[in-house]
Amino acid sequence: MKRREFVSWVGVSGVITALPATVTACGQQTSTSQAPAAPIALRTDGFEVTGTVAELEQKGQLLNEKMLLGKALVVRETENQFIAVDPTCNHAGCNVEWNADQAFVCPCHDSKFANDGKLLQGPATESLALYTVKIEGDQVLVKKG
Ligand code: FES
């Protein structure tokens, strides 16, 4: 290998070797310049954010399946009355839905639950767990119990 070829080869391999460090450095700079995503956590009062009132108004019901407490379905029964349940139907695990009759209905095999989560019609054999729900500003919060 001639001297000129060797210098050229070293120059190219040096760029290739330094490239990952350069990319990594750029990535680190980018990630530190943005605010980190807020960690999901229970508040000291045990409540957890399910979503926003705007989302609830838009969809008619608010389902969050990625909560620390598990899953929560929040519906607005009246102007100032909200209901929150664990939407998991114990028959086969489908999520119940809020219907026009003000009841929770399972779309898989038609189990029906009252607005307080009590089982009205099987094949499910257990009522839905009822959560405590409250509104703070634009946030919908729930907690077990
Ligand atoms: Fe709900 Fe079957 S999963 S009735």
Side-chain angles (χ1 to χ4, degrees):
M1 183 179 290
K2 293 182 182 173
R3 182 172 181 257
R4 177 174 246 165
E5 292 173 346
F6 176 75
V7 169
S8 176
W9 180 81
V10 168
V12 170
S13 64
V15 168
I16 291 172
T17 303
L19 190 56
T22 304
V23 170
T24 301
C26 289
Q28 288 170 344
Q29 185 175 15
T30 300
S31 65
T32 56
S33 64
Q34 296 175 345
I40 298 171
L42 286 176
R43 296 174 7 154
T44 54
D45 61 4
F47 280 94
E48 189 176 349
V49 176
T50 308
T52 66
V53 173
E55 292 169 328
L56 178 58
E57 294 299 322
Q58 182 183 20
K59 300 172 186 170
Q61 51 188 320
L62 186 56
L63 173 65
N64 188 330
E65 299 183 83
K66 297 180 179 175
M67 302 182 67
L68 293 176
L69 59 77
K71 296 189 278 186
L73 175 64
V74 181
V75 299
R76 187 175 215 154
E77 187 176 34
T78 64
E79 180 65 24
N80 297 316
Q81 180 89 25
F82 297 87
I83 304 169
V85 297
D86 178 341
T88 309
C89 175
N90 88 316
H91 177 240
C94 296
N95 287 335
V96 299
E97 298 170 350
W98 183 245
N99 73 5
D101 296 333
Q102 303 262 303
F104 295 100
V105 176
C106 182
C108 294
H109 311 101
D110 296 325
S111 286
K112 193 171 181 180
F113 306 85
N115 62 359
D116 62 355
K118 287 205 171 67
L119 179 64
L120 298 175
Q121 169 187 307
T125 57
E126 293 180 19
S127 298
L128 302 172
L130 196 62
Y131 295 152
T132 301
V133 58
K134 72 176 181 177
I135 307 299
E136 274 187 9
D138 189 38
Q139 293 188 324
V140 180
L141 302 155
V142 300
K143 78 172 182 180
K144 288 188 175 181

